[in-house]
Amino acid sequence: MLIHVPIGRRAKRKGRERPMNKAERLKTNVAGDFYVNSACINCDTCRQLAPSVFAEVGRYSAVACQPKNREEKRRALYALLACPTGAIGSDDKSDISEAMAAFPLQLAEQVYYCGYTSRESFGASSYFLMHPDGNWLIDAPRYVPSFAKKLEEMGGVRYIFLTHEDDVADAKRYALHFGAERIIHKLEQEAQPDAEHIIESTEALEWKPGFRIIPVPGHTIGHIVLLYDNTFLFTGDHLSWDRDKGKLDGHKNHCWYSWRRQGESMARLIKEEFEWVLPGHGDRVHLPREQMKEAMQMLVKEMKEENL
């Protein structure tokens, strides 16, 4: 179960920020090199990257099975680097440089997972999209100089698309580093008051050829998603894949604005064509178009029933 309690500005308003005590190695880890300590915020990042190694045990992640081969060790090191609170450790870091060099991790021909998640966005995933007219960051990771250098080598960043206020992380630092232009909805602008592009529309709009910005109020009032090439839907906290149930999910327990409005927003997405769901929180998924459409219809039906 993903426990998504934001710990940035929103959490401070609600008084939910977890105290920073001295982290201790959790007793729930199996013996071996890799372990999780009590700094874990149960964001699910490690379980997404290395599901054969990490599992949810109580209120935290833990090492359920030590890596059995080189591939599993590599995935565990990805999780160690991506963890937003540095809660993953290993007594053997002999391959850490190789793991660092792999980020961003390629998901498709033009699309990459950034890793290096931020505590400020509760470990939200962010993505890097390569495009001949300028590359994009979708939401932002924490600022890591070596990672910024890697993005430089890949052509830099022209635009930073911010789905909503919770997942901006170090967007401003990346914008300053690359001279990039940030895009955010007006109703979320408090999170990036000096953003270069403010979306005010409540309807979908074509930002540039192949790039469609779709307002989806619900999780937050000004949440937006980005559809690229009618294939890749970058969904922030609006929509994700539930790997345990094998279906799409809207995270009702973590809807901060309106579940009814989120259901209405979800219904609008049925009209769109896409194959990938690339969320901030929750699992990514790639499905054939018709199967994705069916999964969306099932989710919308469930949400309508819940909102009756």
Side-chain angles (χ1 to χ4, degrees):
M1 178 182 65
L2 172 63
I3 301 176
H4 173 198
V5 180
I7 52 180
R9 296 181 310 107
R10 180 175 298 277
K12 290 174 183 176
R13 286 202 301 268
K14 295 183 178 181
R16 292 180 175 178
E17 194 164 21
R18 178 172 291 180
M20 295 294 289
N21 298 321
K22 183 178 179 180
E24 298 180 355
R25 188 167 178 157
L26 297 173
K27 296 178 181 179
T28 48
N29 297 293
V30 299
D33 288 335
F34 282 88
Y35 59 90
V36 178
N37 68 36
S38 57
C40 173
I41 55 174
N42 202 21
C43 69
D44 198 49
T45 295
C46 64
R47 305 193 296 268
Q48 293 173 20
L49 287 168
S52 64
V53 175
F54 299 96
E56 184 178 38
V57 183
R59 297 174 53 233
Y60 303 99
S61 289
V63 175
C65 182
Q66 292 291 333
K68 297 185 291 293
N69 52 49
R70 183 174 178 80
E71 172 63 15
E72 289 190 350
K73 181 182 178 184
R74 183 169 63 90
R75 303 294 302 186
L77 287 171
Y78 290 165
L80 183 154
L81 292 167
C83 177
T85 59
I88 299 172
S90 176
D91 297 327
D92 177 12
K93 294 191 177 75
S94 56
D95 297 323
I96 194 72
S97 295
E98 180 181 342
M100 290 180 68
F103 283 100
L105 304 179
Q106 190 169 25
L107 301 176
E109 184 177 358
Q110 298 169 271
V111 178
Y112 298 76
Y113 165 74
C114 292
Y116 297 112
T117 66
S118 170
R119 179 181 173 86
E120 291 302 310
S121 59
F122 200 80
S125 297
S126 57
Y127 303 91
F128 180 68
L129 169 63
M130 295 189 72
H131 193 273
D133 293 335
N135 300 331
W136 292 60
L137 267 182
I138 295 88
D139 289 326
R142 69 179 182 271
Y143 188 84
V144 177
S146 61
F147 181 69
K149 184 177 180 180
K150 183 69 175 291
L151 296 188
E152 288 175 8
E153 295 169 357
M154 298 175 73
V157 178
R158 183 176 181 184
Y159 297 109
I160 302 176
F161 180 87
L162 299 169
T163 58
H164 67 300
E165 64 176 3
D166 293 339
D167 294 353
V168 301
D170 285 333
K172 183 170 184 175
R173 291 192 66 180
Y174 280 102
L176 290 172
H177 182 94
F178 289 106
E181 301 170 21
R182 290 159 291 172
I183 303 168
I184 195 168
H185 198 277
K186 183 177 180 63
L187 295 171
E188 308 286 314
Q189 190 180 356
E190 182 185 354
Q192 294 282 283
D194 55 350
E196 290 74 16
H197 299 282
I198 306 302
I199 304 299
E200 299 190 26
S201 175
T202 58
E203 301 296 328
L205 60 97
E206 301 299 323
W207 175 260
K208 289 181 178 294
F211 291 90
R212 185 168 169 82
I213 296 175
I214 308 169
V216 287
H219 174 76
T220 59
I221 191 171
H223 199 298
I224 52 179
V225 299
L226 178 68
L227 177 59
Y228 172 63
D229 198 29
N230 287 329
T231 301
F232 302 96
L233 186 66
F234 299 94
T235 59
D237 290 353
H238 177 69
L239 172 68
S240 71
W241 183 254
D242 185 325
R243 63 177 174 272
D244 296 324
K245 296 180 180 180
K247 64 179 185 177
L248 294 172
D249 184 25
H251 302 295
K252 182 178 183 179
N253 292 338
H254 314 302
C255 179
W256 311 129
Y257 170 54
S258 168
W259 185 242
R260 180 186 62 79
R261 291 290 304 279
Q262 190 167 344
E264 295 168 357
S265 297
M266 202 74 73
R268 295 169 67 180
L269 290 181
I270 291 181
K271 302 175 184 178
E272 307 291 342
E273 294 289 332
F274 53 94
E275 299 176 7
W276 285 81
V277 167
L278 299 160
H281 290 100
D283 257 357
R284 300 171 279 280
V285 69
H286 179 206
L287 299 173
R289 289 179 187 270
E290 287 306 312
Q291 190 174 339
M292 183 67 80
K293 188 79 72 175
E294 291 172 2
M296 283 296 301
Q297 290 170 342
M298 181 182 298
L299 175 59
V300 168
K301 181 175 181 291
E302 291 174 353
M303 293 179 74
K304 283 182 177 179
E305 291 173 351
E306 290 174 352
N307 283 315
L308 289 178

